[in-house]
Amino acid sequence: MIIGFPTEIKAQERRVAAVPALVHDLVAAGHRVLVQAGAGLGAGIADAGFADAGAELVEAAEAVWGTAGLIVKVKEPLPAEYPLLRPGQVLFTYLHLAASRGLTDALLASGAHCFAYETLTVQGRLPLLAPMSEVAGRLAVQAGAWHLGAQVGGRGVLLGGVPGVAPANVLVLGGGSVGTEAARMAAGLGANVVVLDIDLERLRHLADILPANVTTLASSAHAIRDRLPTADLVIGAVLVNGARAPTLLRRTDLGLMHDDGPVLVDVAIDQGGCFETSRPTTHAEPTYVVDGVVHYCVANMPGAVPRTATFALTNATKPYVELLAGLVERDGIAAAVAHPVLGTAANVLAGELTHPAVAAAFGLPWRAPAEVGRGGD
């Protein structure tokens, strides 16, 4: 199979979906691999590294998309890339469709088979979302700590405090991978941390593994509002598989907070955001202020650490890229869709929506991936 890795074009996105080790193994398995020239430079991977591993370097994105039967990316296609998709082509990347009707409609119109990293499920786990969630959780604390600084409009609070001065109060909404890493990072810096989640078993687990300066609480609208008046930093870390993130804070809730620069970090912004006042931002312009509250809503947070993030991501995606390419090459798209794991990643197949949470977000019809897959290649 011909597999293409184009350069990411999202603003300040320096990750790449391949590393030389992945290219080497795909070529060894008999696949032809195309890498757009310069695709790995932002992550510290020179073109020569890919070429030495057996990839063909291609200058133009159009040549990668136009030749490859399988396109592997990091981020969702942007409008400039929509026309490059074609019927029968396979796309494997983060999609987050429930947050974008425009992208959903474009993928449906393309006729391509679109598989999403973030919905691929193995025994209830999301192995392709986990590594970037871990990175984003840690970055959320770094970003929040920096933007609490008065020099960038924050309220001038040091996250860990100093002897004789109390540390900051950090509120983490959600105890999954993002929330766990955020709580661990903030606690390690000395902050007072509270984690809210609706899953009591998860809270018991977190209480066992996190430091003593982390408190776990059952989440509710009342519990969130009760903690807002003392919160210096709030991290939104909720996730519903494939669905739009629930709104946990309304604009009226901001009135409960300090009005001199507390910080909200919305890690759920890829899935629409969990704060009513959230809107996507970029690494170049990461924040804005609403009612005295600093909002950090960068939609590709791991792109800030592309070396770490690229290798962490490809460590996770490698076996599934190899599996998808092998199945489609040998037996067609139906075999990939029928696979018990890859089938969970299928979001759009040949013009049909195949994920119920995405369908629910927009009130659109959908069919199970296996039903569509039986219709042919």
Side-chain angles (χ1 to χ4, degrees):
M1 189 171 196
I2 304 176
I3 306 169
F5 297 92
T7 300
E8 299 295 324
I9 64 171
K10 193 178 185 75
Q12 293 88 49
E13 181 53 74
R14 298 177 177 87
R15 288 174 289 177
V16 63
V19 295
L22 172 57
V23 170
H24 175 274
D25 288 357
L26 289 172
V27 172
H31 301 293
R32 181 183 170 196
V33 176
L34 309 180
V35 175
Q36 188 174 352
L41 295 179
I45 305 173
D47 287 346
F50 288 124
D52 291 345
E56 301 173 37
L57 296 175
V58 178
E59 288 295 330
E62 291 78 5
V64 178
W65 288 82
T67 305
L70 168 61
I71 293 289
V72 183
K73 294 179 82 275
V74 176
K75 294 301 292 179
E76 72 282 353
L78 296 182
E81 295 169 313
Y82 296 169
L84 303 179
L85 281 160
R86 64 180 188 275
Q89 191 172 45
V90 182
L91 173 67
F92 194 27
T93 187
Y94 287 118
L95 291 175
H96 300 291
L97 293 185
S100 175
R101 178 63 186 266
L103 174 60
T104 300
D105 288 343
L107 297 187
L108 289 170
S110 73
H113 307 302
C114 305
F115 292 76
Y117 292 161
E118 73 274 6
T119 66
L120 186 143
T121 307
V122 180
Q123 298 179 341
R125 297 179 298 106
L126 302 172
L128 305 191
L129 191 61
M132 295 303 93
S133 295
E134 291 164 351
V135 171
R138 297 183 181 199
L139 283 175
V141 176
Q142 290 185 197
W146 173 254
H147 285 95
L148 278 172
Q151 79 284 358
V152 288
R155 61 191 315 258
V157 174
L158 181 65
L159 208 62
V162 293
V165 180
N169 295 311
V170 177
L171 180 61
V172 180
L173 306 180
S177 295
V178 171
T180 300
E181 294 305 317
R184 194 192 312 274
M185 190 81 164
L189 291 172
N192 291 322
V193 183
V194 174
V195 180
L196 276 69
D197 199 279
I198 59 174
D199 185 339
L200 294 182
E201 286 303 314
R202 181 64 182 176
L203 292 177
R204 289 189 180 96
H205 174 68
L206 294 180
D208 286 339
I209 66 170
L210 292 175
N213 55 329
V214 177
T215 300
T216 60
L217 293 176
S219 185
S220 67
H222 176 79
I224 294 171
R225 289 171 60 87
D226 188 53
R227 289 284 164 169
L228 288 178
T230 58
D232 298 295
L233 169 61
V234 180
I235 297 174
V238 295
L239 172 72
V240 179
N241 188 352
R244 186 177 179 89
T247 300
L248 300 183
L249 290 187
R250 299 290 178 183
R251 180 163 186 171
T252 53
D253 295 327
L254 301 186
L256 299 173
M257 303 184 70
H258 304 291
D259 61 1
D260 58 351
V263 178
L264 300 182
V265 177
D266 195 343
V267 187
I269 194 66
D270 273 332
Q271 289 291 105
C274 61
F275 308 138
E276 184 180 34
T277 45
S278 292
R279 56 176 171 80
T281 60
T282 67
H283 290 291
E285 297 183 36
T287 65
Y288 57 93
V289 178
V290 177
D291 298 340
V293 178
V294 177
H295 290 58
Y296 181 99
C297 305
V298 174
N300 60 328
M301 288 179 63
V305 288
R307 296 183 188 227
T308 298
T310 288
F311 283 91
L313 178 60
T314 55
N315 285 343
T317 59
K318 182 178 183 292
Y320 300 103
V321 172
E322 293 171 338
L323 177 62
L324 179 60
L327 285 175
V328 174
E329 174 68 13
R330 290 192 304 271
D331 302 311
I333 193 66
V337 171
H339 189 276
V341 173
L342 291 178
T344 65
N347 279 215
V348 173
L349 296 171
E352 295 199 55
L353 201 56
T354 55
H355 197 286
V358 178
F362 304 119
L364 295 173
W366 72 284
R367 286 207 292 158
E371 293 179 10
V372 180
R374 285 196 296 268
D377 296 345

